[in-house]
Amino acid sequence: MNREELLRQWREEECRGMEGWDFSHLEGRYTVPALPWDYCQRVKEFLRPGVRLLDMGTGGGEFLLGLHHPFGLTSVTEGWAPNLELCRRRLAPLGITVREYGSEQGGPMPFADDSFDLVLSRHESYDLQEVRRVLKRDGFFVTQQVGGENNRPLIQRLCPGFSGNYVGFNLERELPRFREAGFRVMNSNQAYLEGRFLDVGALVFQVSVTPWEFPGFSVDACQDALFQLQAQVESRGFLPTVEHRFLIVAKNRKEKGALPTKG
């Protein structure tokens, strides 16, 4: 395949976009070992009858709907406008409460104190004080996060001089923050896995739908690096990267009237 044909394919991947939080376009084009924990199973351990559930940063509700929790007991937040509109079309008609919120934007979550028995955050940022505020006493926060080492080898190839927006975001640093905020950590784990992109177009798609990891990327601006990666695929059969994930399951220890104030 010649240079112009490769560029055409990569530009198509760059413009493809994604609805919700659905990476099925990468099936058969990206491989990674299983995590040493099952996030879905961990969550289901807390889904008892009557539990009021909040899923933060739900995307298009793909993971949430797989839990099969009663819709009338379920709320979601989403801060990205296209996904928020998708939630309003897909989730709200089912009876799920949909609210606009992104913790990186600051401000309180649009829920009253002590609203939920269980709060979830899968690859979504969080404000621990806000999570505690909306959680009932002895409620649980279950979060799986993308750590700061995620995709670092490829970030360095495609964004020279950029160290990453989340360097140092890892389990070791977050556990003390949880305890200082008033949570009791019940379980935690961390993993660094080797992911493999089997073609450069798959990488271009991934990079294009996660611009916070690869700021300033475009096929045209990064042609030289992409062709170097193409040569690597042709010689090795894949592009290696790092998937950095960590899990925290925490219990809210707050007592009535005893929420710590923000500094």
Side-chain angles (χ1 to χ4, degrees), residues 12-248:
E12 287 180 358
E13 295 286 359
E14 182 180 19
C15 297
R16 178 177 293 274
M18 182 173 65
E19 184 177 69
W21 202 236
D22 178 8
F23 285 91
S24 59
H25 183 60
L26 294 180
E27 288 179 5
R29 306 172 70 192
Y30 177 76
T31 65
V32 66
L35 287 166
W37 63 85
D38 185 331
Y39 178 75
C40 183
Q41 186 57 43
R42 292 293 176 90
V43 169
K44 287 183 176 180
E45 293 171 4
F46 298 96
L47 292 180
R48 301 178 180 88
V51 161
R52 292 198 169 274
L53 167 67
L54 169 64
D55 186 30
M56 298 174 60
T58 196
E62 295 84 3
F63 173 79
L64 175 73
L65 292 175
L67 296 175
H68 305 292
H69 196 60
F71 298 145
L73 297 174
T74 301
S75 298
V76 301
T77 63
E78 179 54 50
W80 192 45
N83 280 352
L84 178 63
E85 178 58 30
L86 177 61
C87 289
R88 287 170 173 161
R89 296 197 317 266
R90 177 185 291 172
L91 304 182
L94 300 175
I96 294 172
T97 300
V98 176
R99 295 286 184 267
E100 180 177 4
Y101 175 76
S103 65
E104 292 183 346
Q105 301 164 5
M109 277 202 269
F111 300 103
D113 296 1
D114 306 312
S115 291
F116 302 102
D117 303 285
L118 176 63
V119 173
L120 310 179
S121 173
R122 182 174 180 263
H123 306 171
E124 171 72 2
S125 60
Y126 48 76
D127 178 329
L128 287 176
Q129 295 301 333
E130 277 300 294
V131 173
R132 287 197 71 225
R133 182 183 66 78
V134 301
L135 262 179
K136 297 178 183 179
R137 181 182 179 183
D138 295 330
F140 289 91
F141 181 35
V142 182
T143 182
Q144 178 178 293
Q145 290 293 313
V146 177
E149 295 302 308
N150 198 68
N151 283 327
R152 282 292 298 283
L154 294 175
I155 291 171
Q156 292 167 351
R157 296 285 293 274
L158 294 173
C159 306
F162 176 63
S163 60
N165 283 323
Y166 307 102
V167 175
F169 183 56
N170 54 38
L171 183 67
E172 293 84 356
R173 291 194 177 185
E174 286 303 286
L175 287 179
R177 291 187 63 241
F178 270 66
R179 293 177 176 123
E180 290 166 7
F183 285 97
R184 178 185 177 190
V185 176
M186 310 296 292
N187 190 276
S188 64
N189 207 337
Q190 184 164 244
Y192 298 86
L193 307 173
E194 183 185 76
R196 295 182 174 186
F197 289 95
L198 305 185
D199 67 89
V200 174
L203 170 63
V204 170
F205 171 77
Q206 169 80 29
V207 169
S208 299
V209 298
T210 55
W212 53 88
E213 273 198 309
F214 297 86
F217 171 84
S218 73
V219 168
D220 290 337
C222 299
Q223 286 187 37
D224 290 344
L226 290 174
F227 280 109
Q228 291 171 11
L229 293 171
Q230 176 65 23
Q232 187 174 343
V233 168
E234 292 173 1
S235 64
R236 297 183 62 184
F238 63 91
L239 298 174
T241 190
V242 174
E243 273 205 11
H244 178 194
R245 301 286 186 271
F246 62 88
L247 172 79
I248 299 177

